[in-house]
């Protein structure tokens, strides 16, 4: 029987310099799309996929993230006194069972591979997930859940994948496809951030992974790669040579790159329009805005 995926690593140690000055005191993962921080979207997606243990790889200056998932007794009792049961329900989604969440520090920013490796002692001999909260994916069936279902068939290592424009390959891990079976592709190579024109395809890795424990051993052995950082992509690529069990999964859904300002704004608009309580007012504002812009041109 295949082992279930119940643990997920959330690398949240990054400095978020692209969002300075905001990220001087607010962790990037606490920045909000409408009224929920990025990290809440990631956690909700993980829960939907059956994840029960949440491992955060953090760094200095991220205490707001730890507080976010703690109980807030004063706030809760105040809301209870005022009879605001709807808000109490909203708060409940941020509560974690005791012991379900663990924090590990990454002392130096040595790359995504290194961040994942920092969590090695909290894993067992089961496959585990990695979720990059910068990649927010709007989907009817949450992306990681789709992957868990596909992984039940394939086993091995699986990365979320999406076609990107050829000139953008240098921003992603890129897959060298062995066999294309539609939503699942088997992979014969992986390159981190290849220059346009040097990429083996335009199928890019997006921040969702289901990985086997041997990836941790690979991370122990590999040297720093692209950008002088220890790359998760390189540790997965090693697994192709060792056991030929790496797959890409073309998920159904829309991905927003919330690590960039433009992507963050697009996600804000999309999630704002998707919200029933905001849709009418927000959509009519946007269409007025667009028509006044085109009238002015
Ligand atoms: C990371 C990974 C890269 C992947 C990307 C997806 O890069 O290293 O392989 O394609 O996430 O968002 P980063 O964006 O952290 O530089």
């Amino acid at each position: 029987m295949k082992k279930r995926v119940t643990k997920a690593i959330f690398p949240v140690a990054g400095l978020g310099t692209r969002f300075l000055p905001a990220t001087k005191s607010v962790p990037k993962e606490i920045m909000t799309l409408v009224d929920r921080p990025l990290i809440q979207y990631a956690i909700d997606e993980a829960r939907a996929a059956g994840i029960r243990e949440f491992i955060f790889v953090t760094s200095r200056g991220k205490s707001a993230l730890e507080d976010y998932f703690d109980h807030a007794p004063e706030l809760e009792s105040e809301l209870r006194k005022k009879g605001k049961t709807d808000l109490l329900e909203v708060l409940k989604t941020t509560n974690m069972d005791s012991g379900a969440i663990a924090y590990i520090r990454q002392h130096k920013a040595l790359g995504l591979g290194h961040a994942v490796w920092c969590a090695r002692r909290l894993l067992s001999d089961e496959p585990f997930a990695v979720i990059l909260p910068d990649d927010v994916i709007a989907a009817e069936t949450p992306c990681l859940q789709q992957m868990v279902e596909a992984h039940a068939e394939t086993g091995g290592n699986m990365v979320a994948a999406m076609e990107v424009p050829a000139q953008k390959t240098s921003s992603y891990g890129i897959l060298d496809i062995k066999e294309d079976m539609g939503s699942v592709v088997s992979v014969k190579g992986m390159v981190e951030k290849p220059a346009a024109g040097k990429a083996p395809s335009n199928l890019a890795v997006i921040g969702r992974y289901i990985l086997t424990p041997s990836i941790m051993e690979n991370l122990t052995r590999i040297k720093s790669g692209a950008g002088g950082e220890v790359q998760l992509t390189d540790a997965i690529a090693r697994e192709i040579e060792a056991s030929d069990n790496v797959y890409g999964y073309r998920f159904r859904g829309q991905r927003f790159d919330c690590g960039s300002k433009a992507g963050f704004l697009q996600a804000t608009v999309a999630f704002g329009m998707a919200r029933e309580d905001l849709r009418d007012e927000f959509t009519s504002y946007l269409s007025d805005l667009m028509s006044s812009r085109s009238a002015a041109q």
Side-chain angles (χ1 to χ4, degrees):
M1 206 186 85
K2 295 227 171 65
K3 289 176 176 159
R4 289 185 52 213
V5 186
T6 58
K7 298 188 187 201
I9 301 175
F10 300 81
V12 289
L15 293 173
T17 47
R18 279 197 264 178
F19 285 93
L20 279 170
T23 44
K24 187 177 167 207
S25 66
V26 180
K28 178 177 61 169
E29 300 77 15
I30 290 288
M31 295 192 354
T32 57
L33 291 176
V34 189
D35 50 12
R36 293 158 71 215
L38 289 184
I39 194 66
Q40 180 80 54
Y41 290 89
I43 291 286
D44 289 349
E45 186 180 326
R47 279 186 174 135
I51 300 297
R52 297 284 165 264
E53 289 181 53
F54 306 82
I55 304 165
F56 282 50
V57 182
T58 69
S59 59
R60 285 178 293 283
K62 297 277 181 164
S63 50
L65 254 180
E66 300 191 22
D67 290 342
Y68 180 77
F69 289 110
D70 214 329
H71 285 252
E74 294 89 1
L75 180 59
E76 281 164 27
S77 83
E78 202 58 33
L79 292 175
R80 210 165 290 120
K81 249 193 269 166
K82 292 187 172 143
K84 307 229 167 186
T85 44
D86 49 338
L87 291 180
L88 279 166
E89 281 306 306
V90 169
L91 272 191
K92 261 195 200 157
T93 61
T94 67
N95 289 347
M96 286 284 187
D97 292 341
S98 295
I101 190 160
Y103 300 94
I104 289 276
R105 286 269 184 136
Q106 183 189 26
H107 298 291
K108 276 191 189 164
L110 297 177
L112 175 61
H114 179 262
V116 168
W117 179 77
C118 287
R120 67 199 176 283
R121 295 208 173 83
L122 295 178
L123 298 172
S124 50
D125 65 343
E126 288 163 11
F128 59 94
V130 177
I131 297 188
L132 310 187
D134 273 4
D135 282 331
V136 175
I137 300 172
E140 213 163 285
T141 305
C143 180
L144 190 65
Q145 189 182 336
Q146 295 177 34
M147 288 173 70
V148 164
E149 283 160 17
H151 184 261
E153 303 292 323
T154 61
N157 297 278
M158 181 172 273
V159 299
M162 180 183 106
E163 260 82 25
V164 297
Q167 70 276 16
K168 296 265 173 153
T169 55
S170 61
S171 302
Y172 298 93
I174 300 291
L175 302 180
D176 192 356
I177 300 168
K178 184 164 101 183
E179 193 184 347
D180 197 332
M181 295 162 278
S183 54
V184 176
V185 303
S186 62
V187 172
K188 64 175 180 213
M190 280 173 86
V191 197
E192 180 67 11
K193 305 198 169 82
K198 292 250 163 84
S201 76
N202 67 336
L203 192 57
V205 177
I206 299 302
R208 305 287 184 274
Y209 307 77
I210 297 177
L211 301 174
T212 53
S214 45
I215 295 297
M216 287 295 179
E217 288 152 38
N218 299 353
L219 283 169
T220 310
R221 288 195 203 105
I222 60 171
K223 304 225 158 48
S224 46
E229 296 188 338
V230 179
Q231 296 294 352
L232 185 57
T233 297
D234 296 343
I236 304 170
R238 262 199 167 217
E239 220 33 46
I240 301 170
E241 294 145 39
S243 45
D244 191 23
N245 65 359
V246 178
Y247 302 91
Y249 178 76
R250 288 193 185 93
F251 55 93
R252 300 176 301 280
Q254 191 179 3
R255 172 256 187 177
F256 297 94
D257 174 12
C258 290
S260 79
K261 286 176 200 155
F264 196 93
L265 286 172
Q266 287 159 17
T268 302
V269 172
F271 282 88
M273 286 177 74
R275 278 272 295 259
E276 232 167 83
D277 55 336
L278 298 170
R279 188 178 296 146
D280 292 349
E281 195 183 337
F282 192 44
T283 313
S284 93
Y285 166 73
L286 288 176
S287 58
D288 288 354
L289 189 70
M290 293 322 286
S291 38
S292 62
R293 269 187 56 149
S294 47
Q297 270 167 8

